[in-house]
Amino acid sequence: TIGVYDPDRLFPFPEFDPDGEALSEWGVQGSEPGQFDAPTGLSFDANDNLHVVDSRNDRVQVFTKGGDYVRGWGESGDGPGQFRRPWGVYVDCEGSVFVADWGNSRVQKFTAEGEFVMSVGSSVDDGGDLNHPADVAVDSDGDVYVTDWGNRRVQIYDPNGDVITALYGDADDPRMS
């Protein structure tokens, strides 16, 4: 389900109890429109529509902020508009929808209506390779930032899908310092 909570309330973790605290919630487990099987990412567009990645159903679903189903797209596979365990989603300021397609090691770009535009990355070692991308974001210049989980980096592409650079780092557990 998707839960909506009061933004002015603090919910300390792990004492927070979502039962009774939600302003509203919608969705049940399943594969029909408006149902979910492992929702993993969400992003609002400029019209306050909520885009939800439904990972085990290999699709993206769009809802009004009140929870009414608007549209959805995607199916299992590796072709354009198909997914294998999509994970993250981002809607840019122009309304384009970017989906981190975890199982296909790529990020796909769609129109607001769900029409395939292009993809970036691949599992082939061509300099722009990805290994299980987990999330995606787009800056004001249209550059695409991908959290490339399997390669432990952030891969950055220009708006045409060409690699700009990659960011690497060594993370330390601050509790161990």
Side-chain angles (χ1 to χ4, degrees):
T1 65
I2 302 293
V4 180
Y5 298 90
D6 183 345
D8 296 325
R9 301 251 344 251
L10 294 177
F11 298 100
F13 182 82
E15 293 82 24
F16 150 64
D17 177 12
D19 295 332
E21 298 293 346
L23 298 175
S24 67
E25 63 182 46
W26 66 88
V28 296
Q29 185 166 357
S31 59
E32 296 299 317
Q35 297 178 341
F36 302 106
D37 192 2
T40 55
L42 54 88
S43 182
F44 282 97
D45 64 21
N47 297 317
D48 284 336
N49 290 318
L50 180 64
H51 294 68
V52 180
V53 172
D54 189 8
S55 186
R56 288 191 189 142
N57 284 320
D58 292 319
R59 66 184 177 187
V60 174
Q61 298 190 85
V62 182
F63 299 86
T64 66
K65 66 180 178 180
D68 296 322
Y69 178 81
V70 176
R71 69 182 155 277
W73 68 87
E75 62 184 7
S76 297
D78 59 9
Q82 297 177 328
F83 303 107
R84 283 204 176 109
R85 303 289 178 153
W87 205 258
V89 62
Y90 185 85
V91 182
D92 72 7
C93 61
E94 296 177 3
S96 297
V97 180
F98 295 79
V99 180
D101 189 1
W102 170 275
N104 285 318
S105 292
R106 64 184 177 188
V107 170
Q108 296 190 69
K109 178 182 179 181
F110 300 90
T111 65
E113 292 75 33
E115 297 172 24
F116 176 80
V117 175
M118 66 181 280
S119 66
V120 297
S122 69
S123 58
V124 178
D125 188 8
D126 60 2
D129 62 319
L130 296 173
N131 185 356
H132 299 305
D135 210 354
V136 60
V138 180
D139 68 16
S140 60
D141 293 326
D143 295 333
V144 181
Y145 295 72
V146 181
T147 53
D148 188 7
W149 181 84
N151 288 319
R152 299 185 328 247
R153 67 181 177 187
V154 174
Q155 184 85 315
I156 304 172
Y157 298 88
D158 71 15
N160 297 317
D162 296 320
V163 175
I164 296 174
T165 191
L167 306 174
Y168 298 87
D170 293 323
D172 289 325
D173 187 338
R175 298 171 293 179
M176 303 303 277
S177 299

